Amino acid sequence: MFENMNPLDTSTAWLEIFLLMFGAFLIGYFFARYYFKTKYKGMLDNCIAEKEKLKETGYTKANTTFTTDDKSDVKIKAIKTREREGVAVEKPKLNFDSFGKANASDKDDLKKISGIGPFIEEKLNSIGIYTFDQISRFTNEDIQTVTQLIQFFPGRIERDDWKGQSEKFKNEN
């Protein structure tokens, strides 16, 4: 008697299954939404409270500069102003008298030098180094100063022989 009876044969069975599954989905969705909303609201409130505390102290750990370019909206770059001991950091100054000055109109493609990519080239340009001629006239002191200013790996400029490579490219032009 019950062998020929299939509960899925009735038209309302499929509707009942769909409604049960949809109801389970909605219950799960709203519970998850409530859970994450309360979780992240608490975190956001903590961040706002900490920000207000910092504003009240008037202490700034580091200055920030905002830079924009065509590739992204806004980048924030922290500038180190103090050492761990609290001593103020002074930026080293480049001695342009030893290797010469140049501007963006004299710019060479510094990426031809092995070890200089687009990012390092941009940093070099930002401190006033644009040409192979300038790099070929670096002294050891200039190399140390440039390494500090562009925050590059110490000894990498000598190891990649930027001076020799730039001398070669300077003579090709």
Side-chain angles (χ1 to χ4, degrees):
M1 173 172 166
F2 292 109
E3 293 100 18
N4 295 335
M5 206 168 160
N6 187 354
L8 299 179
D9 283 342
T10 62
S11 60
T12 59
W14 289 106
L15 182 62
E16 289 172 6
I17 291 171
F18 173 76
L19 289 176
L20 286 172
M21 302 249 327
F22 186 68
F25 166 76
L26 288 177
I27 290 170
Y29 174 79
F30 286 113
F31 272 122
R33 185 173 174 191
Y34 174 76
Y35 170 76
F36 285 111
K37 187 175 180 180
T38 56
K39 178 181 176 183
Y40 291 118
K41 176 135 176 56
M43 289 177 161
L44 180 63
D45 292 341
N46 287 340
C47 288
I48 291 171
E50 290 295 322
K51 185 177 179 182
E52 291 303 318
K53 284 182 192 175
L54 286 174
K55 279 185 182 178
E56 290 171 8
T57 61
Y59 175 74
T60 57
K61 283 189 171 184
N63 296 328
T64 57
T65 58
F66 292 91
T67 60
T68 59
D69 58 9
D70 296 358
K71 297 174 188 155
S72 67
D73 297 340
V74 176
K75 293 180 182 176
I76 300 174
K77 180 182 177 188
I79 300 171
K80 186 175 183 179
T81 58
R82 301 207 175 270
E83 293 292 339
R84 286 189 180 270
E85 299 82 29
V87 179
V89 173
E90 289 188 35
K91 276 188 163 183
K93 302 283 184 206
L94 278 173
N95 183 9
F96 285 103
D97 296 334
S98 69
F99 59 86
K101 289 189 176 190
N103 56 30
S105 62
D106 304 327
K107 184 178 176 184
D108 290 329
D109 185 14
L110 300 179
K111 294 184 297 269
K112 289 181 179 179
I113 297 175
S114 175
I116 298 180
F119 183 70
I120 298 298
E121 181 183 37
E122 187 178 314
K123 283 187 167 190
L124 288 169
N125 291 342
S126 71
I127 62 172
I129 299 170
Y130 294 96
T131 64
F132 296 127
D133 187 45
Q134 287 178 299
I135 295 174
S136 67
R137 291 194 260 156
F138 277 173
T139 63
N140 286 339
E141 185 178 300
D142 295 330
I143 290 172
Q144 298 305 319
T145 305
V146 168
T147 299
Q148 281 183 311
L149 287 173
I150 66 171
Q151 300 169 345
F152 203 51
F153 302 110
R156 179 81 183 266
I157 295 175
E158 295 97 343
R159 203 168 43 248
D160 288 344
D161 190 28
W162 286 12
K163 281 179 66 171
Q165 291 183 63
S166 61
E167 187 71 41
K168 183 180 83 171
F169 289 122
K170 179 177 77 167
N171 291 335
E172 287 180 3
N173 291 336

